[in-house]
Amino acid sequence: MSLLLPLLRHAAVLLAAAAAGALVAAPWVPGGGRARLASPERAAWGMAAGLALVAGSFPLGLLVGRPGWIPFLVLAGAAAAASLLRPASRTGVSDAHAVSAPGAGRTAVALLAVIALGLALFAIRALTEPMWSNDFLAIWGLKGKTIYALSAVPRRLFSDPALGFSHPEYPLGIPFLYAGLASLAGGWDDHAAAVVFPLIQAATLLALAGWLRRRGVPRPVVLSAAAVLALDLPLYTASRVGLADIPLSFFALLLGTSLSDAVDGSDSGAPVRLALASALAAATKNEGLFLAAAALAVGLIASRRRDGSPRDRVASGRRRGLALAVVLPALAVFVSHRLWRGSAPLRDFDFGLLAPARWGELASRMAETAGQEALHVLLPSLAIVAALAVLFALGRRTPWADRLLAIAACAAAAYLFLPSLGLYPGHPEMGPLFLVRTAVGRTLSALGPLVAAGLAGRLGALVSGAASIRRTAAAQPSVPTPTTEARTP
Amino acid sequence: MTPRPAHAAAAAAVLAASLIASDPPRDLARRVRSLSHYASQALAVRRLGGSSTDFDRRYFILLEWARPRIPRDAAGLAVFPGGELPVRGEYLTIYEFAPLPTLVAPQRVPDGWLALVYGRRRPEGWRVIQELPGGALLEPTPNPGPTP
C-alpha cells in the first residue's frame, strides 16, 4: 500500500485524539472558558492529553481483552467526565502587549513564515522514509512492534539477555504510544506513524507561544522564540524521528510551564497540568523522572523564596499541592513499570563509582569526560552556546521564566556528568567516550523548548521594559477565582 | 529600538543561523525526490530504498522474502548473515522479524528454531525449507550438524 492513505489515517487518529484531549484539558487549561477549545495552549495540552489517551488505551485494552477504539473511547470518556466535573480554570489572559510599532505586522508575517518553514522542513525530514534510527529499530520500535503484534507485554523484553541492547530499564510510554497508534490506525506502519513527530513539534510551538502570550510576553518576542525553536535542527532532525527525545522535549516544556504556573498559583488548573506533565515525562524516558525531580526541587525553592514566610498557610498549602502534583504521577508511573518489568538496573552506568572509595577513579573519569565533551559537544556548538549565553545575559531576571532555565540547568548538569559513570562492556569505545559521542548532544537538545521559553520570558521583560510583566496574581490553587492582572502598558 | 533589544535580536539571529548550520538542509531536494519516488510504493520497498538498509540492500531483500514464509508456529529464528554485519544491520534484522524471537549469528541455535542463511552456503545437518533470493530458510534435521 502507498504512503498516503496510512499517513492520513495515522494523522486523523492523532488529531482525533488531540481533539478528545482538548475536551479533557478544557477545564484545566486557561484560555477563555470551555467554549474556546482552540487556543494555542489548549491545542498543545490537547495533543499532550491525546497522546496520553492513545498510549494509555493500549495497556487498558490488554487488561480488558482487546486494544483498539473501545478502550480508547472508554478512557477518553472517563477522563473527559472526570475533567468536566471540576470548575473551569480561569485567568486574565494574554494579548496584553498588542504591537503597534510601524512594521510590526510585516515582522510578524516574516516570523510566521520562518515558523512554517521550520515545520515544513522537519515534516519532510520526518516522513521521507520509514523510521530508521538505530534507537528506533533497537529500542522504541522493537518494543512497540512486539507489544502490538502480540497484544501483550512479553517477559522476554525484560529478561532475555539477548535483548539487553533494547534497554529493558527504559519506560514503556513510547512503545505503548506506537502500539496504541497502530491499534487505532488499523495496523503497524512504521512510516506513517512518523507523523506523530511533526505534530509534536507543532504542539511544542503552540505550547511555547500560548504560555508566553498568557504571561504577557510581547508578540514579536514570542514569535521570534517560536521561529528559532522551529529551526532547532539539532532537535528536529531526521535521526531523532522514532526516538523519545522529541516527545520528552515537549513534555519537559509542559512540565516547566505548569510548574511555574503552579508556583505562582496562576490558575486553579495548574496542578492538574503539572500532574499530567510529570506523568508524561516519567513515562517517556528515565531522564523524565529526573526532570520531574528537578522540577520539584526548583518549585519548592521558588515557592519558598517568593513567599518568604514558611508558616504562611497558603504558601505551604501550595507547596504541598505542587509536591503531590509532581511526585504522585511520576511515582505511579515508576511503580507500575517496576511491577510490570521487575527490577532493571540502568545498563550503561557504573554507579559504584559514586562510592567514596572510588572517588579518585571518578575524578579522573570526570576529567576525561569533560575533555571529550569540550571536544565533541561544546566545540561543534560553540556559536550556539555563545548566542544562548548572550541572550541570557541580555534578558532580565524574571522568576517565572528563570524556573524553566533552572530545570534545564539541573538536567544539563546531570547529562554532562553521567558519561563519567559510563560503562559499555565489550564495546571498542568502552566508557565515557561512547556516551559523550552518542548521547550527550542528543539529550541536551531535548532541553531546547525549555530553554527557548525561559529565555523568551527574560527577553520579554527586556522588550516590554517591565521586569515585572505578568506576575499572575496569586489565586488560590483550589479556588477558581479570576485573576486580576495588571496589564503593562 | 534601544541597544539591548537590538543586541538580543542580533543574538537570536546568530542562534537561528547556528542552529541551521548545525544540520544544514542540503538534503532537502534529495528527500523531496525520494518521497515523490517512493510514496506510491509498498512499505517494504520504501524501507528498501531508505537509510536503514543501505549497508546491504540484498540482505534486506532476503529478510523480506523470508518473513512471510516462516511458519506461524516457529519458536524463533537464527539469522546468519554470512559475514560482518554492522550493528544497525543486527537491529534491523531483529526488528524486522519481531515479535518472533530472533538471534543474529548465535554460537548455538536454540532447539526448535529455524535458520536463515544469507549467501550460498548450505550447512550439513540442516534441511532447506525454501530457497530464497540471496539465501535460504533452513530447519534442523533430526540430528543437526554444527551451527550453520
Side-chain angles (χ1 to χ4, degrees):
Chain A
M1 186 185 284
S2 71
L3 172 63
L4 187 61
L5 276 179
L7 185 67
L8 291 175
R9 213 163 44 228
H10 281 70
V13 166
L14 287 165
L15 292 175
L23 193 67
V24 172
W28 38 266
V29 178
R34 278 181 190 149
R36 197 177 158 199
L37 290 173
S39 74
E41 241 186 326
R42 284 196 171 169
W45 281 98
M47 175 56 81
L51 294 174
L53 291 172
V54 172
S57 72
F58 198 86
L60 179 67
L62 297 182
L63 291 175
V64 301
R66 189 178 171 196
W69 280 103
I70 292 175
F72 173 82
L73 291 172
V74 167
L75 187 63
S83 199
L84 290 168
L85 283 176
R86 71 190 305 284
S89 175
R90 285 182 290 167
T91 50
V93 183
S94 84
D95 285 356
H97 301 270
V99 176
S100 56
R106 282 194 299 276
T107 305
V109 169
L111 289 171
L112 284 169
V114 172
I115 293 169
L117 183 72
L119 288 166
L121 185 61
F122 181 54
I124 290 170
R125 283 180 158 174
L127 296 172
T128 307
E129 56 178 303
M131 292 186 273
W132 56 271
S133 291
N134 274 0
D135 281 7
F136 172 78
L137 297 172
I139 303 170
W140 311 106
L142 175 66
K143 291 179 184 174
K145 188 180 180 188
T146 302
I147 290 169
Y148 168 71
L150 295 176
S151 279
V153 185
R155 285 296 320 157
R156 81 183 167 85
L157 282 181
F158 315 118
S159 60
D160 186 350
L163 290 179
F165 64 82
S166 74
H167 289 278
E169 76 277 16
Y170 284 6
L172 289 172
I174 297 296
F176 277 144
L177 175 64
Y178 286 141
L181 184 54
S183 71
L184 297 175
W188 182 264
D189 187 323
D190 47 24
H191 194 173
V195 74
V196 73
F197 291 89
L199 289 176
I200 288 177
Q201 182 200 24
T204 305
L205 298 179
L206 288 171
L208 175 88
W211 184 68
L212 290 173
R213 285 302 292 151
R214 178 160 60 81
R215 286 293 191 159
V217 175
R219 186 169 290 155
V221 177
V222 173
L223 290 176
S224 300
V228 173
L229 184 58
L231 294 173
D232 184 2
L233 302 189
L235 175 63
Y236 299 119
T237 189
S239 60
R240 304 278 188 276
V241 174
L243 279 55
D245 303 279
I246 289 173
L248 182 67
S249 72
F250 176 39
F251 303 145
L253 175 64
L254 298 181
L255 183 72
T257 57
S258 57
L259 174 92
S260 201
D261 288 347
V263 168
D264 289 337
S266 70
D267 62 282
S268 62
V272 184
R273 297 197 299 278
L274 182 58
L276 176 63
S278 177
L280 287 169
T284 302
K285 285 190 91 177
N286 287 326
E287 290 97 307
L289 201 60
F290 179 83
L291 280 166
L296 176 65
V298 168
L300 291 178
I301 291 168
S303 55
R304 229 183 144 75
R305 275 188 184 162
R306 210 196 87 180
D307 295 297
S309 60
R311 288 184 182 175
D312 181 73
R313 284 174 56 193
V314 174
S316 61
R318 188 177 296 158
R319 276 196 295 274
R320 203 164 36 245
L322 181 151
L324 289 175
V326 174
V327 171
L328 285 184
L331 198 63
V333 168
F334 178 78
V335 169
S336 62
H337 276 84
R338 185 78 185 227
L339 290 174
W340 211 316
R341 73 180 177 212
S343 169
L346 290 175
R347 176 182 143 95
D348 290 347
F349 304 102
D350 176 7
F351 287 100
L353 283 162
L354 296 173
R358 296 178 68 189
W359 280 358
E361 188 186 347
L362 178 61
S364 86
R365 275 169 156 260
M366 285 173 67
E368 181 197 349
T369 301
Q372 298 292 351
E373 285 170 344
L375 192 63
H376 295 287
V377 180
L378 182 63
L379 204 57
S381 52
L382 206 52
I384 295 173
V385 175
L388 289 173
V390 168
L391 287 169
F392 178 83
L394 286 173
R396 291 188 180 171
R397 185 175 175 278
T398 308
W400 58 261
D402 290 341
R403 289 170 204 141
L404 276 67
L405 295 176
I407 295 171
C410 291
Y415 297 167
L416 290 170
F417 167 72
L418 273 175
S420 309
L421 308 177
L423 180 74
Y424 209 79
H427 195 278
E429 293 175 340
M430 183 174 163
L433 180 57
F434 178 80
L435 288 172
V436 168
R437 281 190 172 167
T438 60
V440 172
R442 179 164 52 79
T443 48
L444 284 175
S445 74
L447 301 174
L450 260 182
V451 173
L455 289 178
R458 291 173 64 86
L459 293 167
L462 171 70
V463 172
S464 70
S468 60
I469 60 169
R470 191 53 53 117
R471 180 154 190 166
T472 338
Q476 305 285 340
S478 55
V479 181
T481 50
T483 55
T484 52
E485 296 162 353
R487 294 191 168 198
T488 47
Chain B
M1 198 181 265
T2 57
R4 275 172 71 127
H7 292 158
V14 170
L15 177 60
S18 308
L19 289 169
I20 294 171
S22 71
D23 188 8
R26 284 188 289 252
D27 57 343
L28 203 57
R30 180 183 60 77
R31 287 182 177 280
V32 171
R33 274 199 308 274
S34 172
L35 195 53
S36 60
H37 176 75
Y38 282 107
S40 59
Q41 311 273 350
L43 179 58
V45 178
R46 281 179 263 141
R47 185 170 288 289
L48 177 65
S51 312
S52 59
T53 57
D54 61 3
F55 63 93
D56 185 348
R57 300 198 195 276
R58 288 172 188 272
Y59 174 74
F60 181 72
I61 289 172
L62 172 67
L63 302 187
E64 272 300 310
W65 271 90
R67 202 156 53 94
R69 290 166 175 80
I70 294 170
R72 295 180 71 89
D73 59 350
L77 181 71
V79 180
F80 294 90
E84 191 85 3
L85 189 67
V87 172
R88 63 200 173 108
E90 288 186 35
Y91 295 156
L92 176 69
T93 306
I94 293 167
Y95 173 83
E96 268 296 295
F97 290 108
L100 182 71
T102 303
L103 293 172
V104 177
Q107 295 290 324
R108 185 189 150 273
V109 180
D111 291 341
W113 282 35
L114 304 179
L116 179 66
V117 176
Y118 181 45
R120 294 171 184 275
R121 201 163 48 94
R122 301 290 177 266
E124 285 180 24
W126 288 77
R127 191 179 72 80
V128 174
I129 300 175
Q130 189 154 12
E131 290 287 349
L132 301 169
L137 190 61
L138 314 172
E139 67 178 355
T141 55
N143 296 306
T147 298

